[in-house]
Amino acid sequence: MCFFFFQAEDGIRDAQESRGLGDVYKRQGFGMSVRLLLVLLPGIACLGSASSHLKYMMFYDDDLPAQHEFINVVSGDGASIPDIIADYQNYHIPGMPTLPSTVFDRSKHGLYPGWAQTTDEFIATMLPLLANGTAMGVFLGDEICCSGVPLSNLTAVADRLRTGLGQSAVLYTNECSVMKDWPAVPFALDYVSIDFYDGHNTDGAREVAQNKQFYTEVIYPKLAPHQGVLFVPGIFASDPAHCARGNVSCPLDSQAEQIVTKLDGFFEWAKNDTRVAGFNPWHFSNRSGAQLKGWWDQRLGAIVMPSVVNKLREIGQYVISP
């Protein structure tokens, strides 16, 4: 347990706000300085460990004009390599490109015949981007094994990427409940995530609880010491006008309230769990069409809910602040 006996102007994470203590030491003398340090050091030590494990804030969308103040990674799921290069030039935010679509053959539940050559060509493209800071790693893809691709195939691709890109490249993938059948997370990966959603936005706390149970009971025991997880909270909403056509009530304000509730829950959990490395919420921008059949279409993104954007900004600025 940590006890703090000082208050920074902008919150305890802003260590620079303690800069005035030097004047106190000078006025009170060396003995007072030692006593103050003995009181403050335990709190400062806890200060450093409270959030240093949170490293990444990204979205499943590429909307840098709206996101750039509170993200530090551009997800390849919503951006091509040319998009990521342009984003880096405009905002100096590195990206995590995704693999070409001709590596994993989801329709046939395996790998394309030329997957190795395609992966090697991707590696050759990535190496200069990693060297100049435009990219910081690779997002292998979304729910690869969930779509029927064997774990052995995912492992083979991850191993090839690790060999070609080196140890400094971050390798990350998002999966689903199929992970319960994995003996372990592929060693070459750095981070994994899952996404269990409160699809109707009626119980945000339940989404947090469901994810927490799966992470702690299923995923954590399968992690190697160097591996961690990201959180993928649902930040979408269903269109109230669309709901009304089916005599379904889905007020946007009520949905936003539950999304903020879940984000609060994920945020508190993340700050206190060193296995959590950051956030990759889905989805920030509006979609052109329904994401699900039926009246709960999940078409709207966080961008239409100011309270949700404000909460995401709070989380993101916490994660990316020095």
Side-chain angles (χ1 to χ4, degrees):
M1 181 177 295
C2 306
F3 297 92
F4 296 90
F5 297 94
F6 65 100
Q7 181 177 357
E9 293 176 8
D10 294 322
I12 60 173
R13 296 188 71 250
D14 296 324
Q16 69 270 21
E17 296 298 330
S18 62
R19 59 186 179 273
L21 289 175
D23 294 334
V24 175
Y25 300 158
K26 292 174 184 175
R27 290 196 301 270
Q28 299 297 332
F30 179 77
M32 183 61 178
S33 299
V34 172
R35 288 194 295 273
L36 274 171
L37 285 172
L38 289 175
V39 171
L40 293 174
L41 280 176
I44 294 171
C46 292
L47 175 72
S49 64
S51 61
S52 59
H53 60 279
L54 293 177
K55 303 175 183 179
Y56 309 114
M57 184 71 181
M58 65 185 96
F59 291 98
Y60 267 91
D61 309 83
D62 181 29
D63 187 1
L64 269 289
Q67 300 165 347
H68 71 276
E69 292 180 346
F70 51 96
I71 67 169
N72 60 359
V73 181
V74 178
S75 172
D77 188 76
S80 65
I81 287 181
D83 291 333
I84 285 172
I85 292 172
D87 287 339
Y88 186 75
Q89 291 172 342
N90 292 328
Y91 297 99
H92 209 68
I93 297 175
M96 195 178 289
T98 194
L99 284 167
S101 60
T102 50
V103 173
F104 296 108
D105 188 347
R106 296 170 186 255
S107 64
K108 295 184 179 179
H109 302 162
L111 295 168
Y112 281 99
W115 74 271
Q117 180 179 346
T118 301
T119 302
D120 289 345
E121 292 171 352
F122 176 78
I123 290 170
T125 300
M126 283 292 297
L127 285 172
L129 300 180
L130 290 167
N132 65 23
T134 300
M136 45 82 69
V138 178
F139 178 61
L140 276 72
D142 187 56
E143 298 184 348
I144 297 165
C145 293
C146 193
S147 66
V149 175
L151 175 62
S152 59
N153 290 168
L154 174 64
T155 301
V157 174
D159 287 345
R160 199 172 190 93
L161 287 169
R162 179 60 68 205
T163 299
L165 296 176
Q167 296 302 311
S168 62
V170 174
L171 301 184
Y172 159 55
T173 191
N174 180 69
E175 274 297 342
C176 67
S177 60
V178 71
M179 289 185 67
K180 69 182 185 299
D181 299 321
W182 291 10
V185 173
F187 193 80
L189 293 177
D190 295 294
Y191 302 108
V192 293
S193 60
I194 47 121
D195 47 6
F196 297 154
Y197 297 134
D198 170 27
H200 293 179
N201 289 325
T202 56
D203 192 346
R206 184 174 180 273
E207 179 175 322
V208 178
Q210 184 182 15
N211 277 271
K212 192 166 192 175
Q213 181 177 7
F214 195 86
Y215 273 101
T216 56
E217 295 181 4
V218 176
I219 297 179
Y220 286 172
K222 303 177 190 295
L223 295 176
H226 71 281
Q227 294 172 324
V229 302
L230 273 71
F231 288 160
V232 187
I235 55 171
F236 53 79
S238 294
D239 185 348
H242 182 72
C243 287
R245 288 195 288 272
N247 292 320
V248 173
S249 177
C250 60
L252 194 59
D253 288 348
S254 297
Q255 293 186 77
E257 181 179 355
Q258 289 303 316
I259 295 170
V260 170
T261 294
K262 80 174 70 167
L263 289 173
D264 279 332
F266 278 113
F267 190 25
E268 289 306 310
W269 172 14
K271 287 188 289 186
N272 293 287
D273 188 337
T274 57
R275 289 159 293 198
V276 182
F279 291 80
N280 186 22
W282 185 80
H283 51 92
F284 187 86
S285 303
N286 295 335
R287 299 304 171 98
S288 58
Q291 298 300 290
L292 287 181
K293 295 180 179 179
W295 302 113
W296 300 89
D297 60 6
Q298 300 181 0
R299 185 183 67 82
L300 303 180
I303 191 68
V304 302
M305 296 173 282
S307 61
V308 174
V309 173
N310 287 339
K311 179 56 64 174
L312 290 167
R313 180 178 291 107
E314 175 190 345
I315 295 171
Q317 290 178 345
Y318 182 95
V319 171
I320 71 176
S321 62

